[in-house]
């Protein structure tokens, strides 16, 4: 099966949904891909224990009401066989999609920094714990510590408490001064101020970061540096997240430019001719910024530049929130020294920190140690080594993720003419 789209959108989170809805009135043939079973992205992830917000449900209903929007759930991008072509695969088959315009809304993932014991069973990412709970994981009566940086810690804690967890500590590495300074700015975004009240937890501690996870066969306790003191807390689960890093791998493979760790875009959310990007792959700023960026990209991609321009002030408002957030929760340089020489950095290939310290770039480290060459293809360790050593991971080569032989064979098919 081959397919053609006037507008292809990769990612069905807030940015992707907003882009599709903005472009739909043009009558363009819109195809939206996502590897989740339902639209909503990570922030509005579904599951047996998930409570999907009203806004997400409304956006899904609006998408379904447009006949010119086709949504392929559970679908992954495997390769880019030619200009304006993507090879994709779902659980049943693979096929080629040709497109005229493309919007990448590939989101972001957690930054996981290595520290002693971080590979013990019972240790996850902060967002990872939230996703596991939504998928059905029981945390009833379990002692939970959440550590790292940013508002995701509070959101993850709220989800865990809602499902019966006993919160021991929420360890925020940012200082009290930085967090308080950020809090004083929240009245500029009233809904964020209200949200902060609903998420507040008495176990929240600033100036606190993880030192080690303790245990033999699984997690038993966590050692924290808490406001100048070393403390140990017994716990059953430790969830760590040190912020988010944009998913730029597909953009890199397609020739998008980078600005820092994110995809570079202009005022129209364009990165190159006929290629746009929106949401957290262009920088972390929350769902509100992702929604308006997606709408701008959707309008611009179908030529409605006036509608896109009218959204610029709203985008600027939420960009202000993103800048305040990222400034307040900037990572303490001390977090780069958590790992010991024997601490694993690449879990897939069992590569310790000591095996990487003598190298000067990502390529050299990969050739010598196989770091980043395992099952996750550097999605975890890539962000870690970029933070620890400043190495920029190279653009991925296809296949971008494991694929069936039958899918790769479909590269011989002739794509349909527009």
């Amino acid at each position: 099966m081959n397919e053609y789209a006037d507008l292809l959108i990769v990612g069905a989170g807030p940015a992707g949904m907003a882009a599709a809805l903005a472009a739909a009135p043009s009558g363009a043939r819109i195809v939206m891909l996502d590897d989740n079973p339902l639209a909503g992205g990570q922030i509005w992830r579904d599951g047996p224990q998930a409570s999907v917000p009203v806004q997400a449900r409304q956006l899904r209903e609006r998408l379904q009401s447009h006949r010119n929007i086709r949504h392929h759930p559970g679908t992954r991008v495997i390769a880019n066989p030619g200009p304006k072509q993507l090879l994709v695969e779902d659980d049943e088959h693979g096929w080629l999609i040709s497109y005229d315009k493309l919007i990448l809304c590939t989101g972001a993932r957690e930054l996981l920094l290595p520290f002693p014991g971080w590979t013990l069973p019972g240790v996850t990412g902060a967002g990872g714990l939230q996703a596991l709970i939504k998928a059905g994981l029981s945390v009833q009566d379990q002692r939970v510590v959440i550590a790292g940086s940013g508002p995701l810690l509070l959101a993850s804690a709220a989800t865990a408490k809602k499902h019966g967890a006993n919160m021991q500590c929420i360890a925020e590495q940012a200082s009290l001064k930085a967090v308080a300074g950020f809090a004083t700015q929240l009245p500029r975004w009233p809904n964020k101020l209200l949200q902060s009240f609903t998420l507040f937890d008495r176990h929240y501690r600033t100036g606190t970061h993880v030192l080690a996870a303790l245990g033999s066969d699984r997690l038993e306790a966590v050692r924290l540096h808490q406001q100048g003191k070393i403390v140990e807390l017994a716990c059953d689960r430790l969830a760590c997240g040190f912020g988010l890093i944009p998913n730029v791998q597909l953009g890199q493979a397609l020739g998008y430019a980078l600005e820092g760790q994110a995809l570079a875009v202009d005022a129209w959310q364009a990165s190159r001719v006929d290629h746009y990007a929106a949401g957290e792959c262009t920088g972390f700023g929350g769902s509100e910024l992702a929604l308006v960026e997606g709408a701008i990209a959707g309008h611009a991609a179908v030529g409605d530049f006036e509608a896109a321009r009218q959204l610029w002030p709203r985008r600027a408002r939420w960009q202000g929130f993103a800048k305040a957030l990222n400034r307040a929760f900037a990572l303490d340089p001390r977090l780069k020294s958590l790992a010991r020489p024997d601490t694993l950095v690449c879990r897939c290939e069992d590569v310790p920190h000591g095996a990487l310290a003598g190298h000067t770039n990502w390529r050299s480290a990969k050739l010598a140690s196989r770091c980043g060459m395992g099952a996750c293809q550097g999605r975890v360790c890539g962000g870690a080594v970029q933070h620890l050593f400043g190495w920029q991971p190279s653009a991925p080569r296809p296949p971008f993720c494991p694929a069936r032989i039958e899918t790769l064979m479909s590269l011989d098919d002739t794509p349909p003419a527009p």
Side-chain angles (χ1 to χ4, degrees):
M1 179 182 81
N2 293 324
E3 190 172 12
Y4 172 77
D6 296 315
L7 175 60
L8 176 60
I9 301 171
V10 179
M17 297 167 85
L21 291 170
S26 71
R29 186 186 308 175
I30 300 168
V31 174
M32 184 168 60
L33 313 175
D34 196 87
D35 57 1
N36 288 312
L38 291 170
Q42 297 301 321
I43 190 169
W44 293 329
R45 174 186 285 271
D46 249 297
Q49 297 183 160
S51 178
V52 180
V54 172
Q55 183 183 22
R57 293 198 297 268
Q58 290 174 340
L59 289 172
R60 287 176 181 171
E61 291 171 1
R62 290 177 58 195
L63 286 171
Q64 293 171 357
S65 71
H66 289 280
R67 293 185 177 181
N68 60 323
I69 298 177
R70 185 171 185 181
H71 176 212
H72 292 298
T75 302
R76 302 161 295 282
V77 177
I78 305 301
N80 54 322
K84 295 192 174 183
Q85 283 185 332
L86 293 181
L87 175 66
V88 303
E89 178 184 86
D90 62 15
D91 290 339
E92 297 180 356
H93 64 289
W95 71 100
L96 283 166
I97 300 181
S98 299
Y99 60 86
D100 181 45
K101 304 284 180 65
L102 174 71
I103 303 178
L104 292 185
C105 304
T106 48
R109 64 191 185 279
E110 284 189 279
L111 173 60
L112 303 175
L113 297 180
F115 54 87
W118 78 295
T119 58
L120 280 171
V123 183
T124 65
L129 176 62
Q130 198 175 26
L132 287 169
I133 292 172
K134 290 179 180 180
L137 175 72
S138 175
V139 292
Q140 183 70 40
D141 298 327
Q142 292 186 359
R143 299 164 298 176
V144 175
V145 173
I146 295 179
S149 192
L152 180 59
L153 304 186
L154 288 169
S156 182
T159 300
K161 287 192 301 178
K162 180 180 177 182
H163 291 88
N166 293 325
M167 195 58 53
Q168 304 297 298
C169 181
I170 304 171
E172 168 58 60
Q173 61 86 41
S175 68
L176 175 60
K177 180 180 178 181
V179 174
F182 175 69
T184 61
Q185 299 181 65
L186 286 179
R188 295 166 55 191
W189 305 280
N191 61 327
K192 291 296 183 182
L193 178 63
L194 178 62
Q195 187 180 49
S196 69
F197 288 127
T198 63
L199 292 177
F200 177 76
D201 189 286
R202 63 186 179 87
H203 297 97
Y204 188 74
R205 299 291 183 269
T206 58
T208 303
H209 65 264
V210 65
L211 291 176
L214 309 175
S216 50
D217 296 327
R218 64 165 289 112
L219 177 70
E220 297 172 11
V222 59
R223 182 178 295 134
L224 301 170
H225 185 275
Q226 183 172 304
Q227 300 169 349
K229 299 179 180 179
I230 307 299
V231 299
E232 291 187 6
L233 298 174
C235 61
D236 303 300
R237 292 196 178 274
L238 169 62
C240 291
F242 295 92
L244 299 174
I245 48 177
N247 290 322
V248 300
Q249 291 82 3
L250 180 57
Q252 285 182 284
L254 296 177
Y256 282 60
L258 294 182
E259 183 175 347
Q261 289 185 292
L263 298 179
V265 293
D266 63 15
W268 308 106
Q269 298 294 141
S271 186
R272 46 179 295 218
V273 176
D274 295 336
H275 290 72
Y276 301 78
E280 292 179 345
C281 61
T282 65
F284 174 64
S287 61
E288 295 86 358
L289 180 58
L291 285 166
V292 68
E293 286 180 346
I296 290 171
H299 286 306
V302 296
D304 192 349
F305 295 104
E306 183 55 36
R309 190 189 304 273
Q310 290 177 5
L311 294 173
W312 286 1
R314 189 190 307 173
R315 179 178 60 188
R317 179 169 178 261
W318 288 110
Q319 284 175 335
F321 173 77
K323 289 177 181 177
L325 180 73
N326 294 327
R327 185 166 53 247
F329 295 99
L331 295 183
D332 189 318
R334 289 180 296 176
L335 297 176
K336 293 184 179 182
S337 60
L338 294 178
R340 298 170 183 167
D342 62 348
T343 301
L344 292 183
V345 175
C346 175
R347 297 183 296 185
C348 299
E349 294 293 326
D350 293 334
V351 180
H353 186 277
L356 302 175
H359 296 280
T360 58
N361 58 66
W362 179 241
R363 177 176 172 79
S364 170
K366 287 180 70 174
L367 289 174
S369 69
R370 292 189 53 83
C371 183
M373 298 176 70
C376 86
Q377 289 292 287
R379 285 174 176 81
V380 176
C381 62
V385 299
Q386 188 169 12
H387 181 78
L388 294 174
F389 305 113
W391 300 342
Q392 176 62 54
S394 56
R397 292 181 294 180
F400 304 134
C401 58
R404 292 187 296 268
I405 295 296
E406 292 83 355
T407 297
L408 298 175
M409 290 175 62
S410 69
L411 287 171
D412 294 332
D413 292 347
T414 302

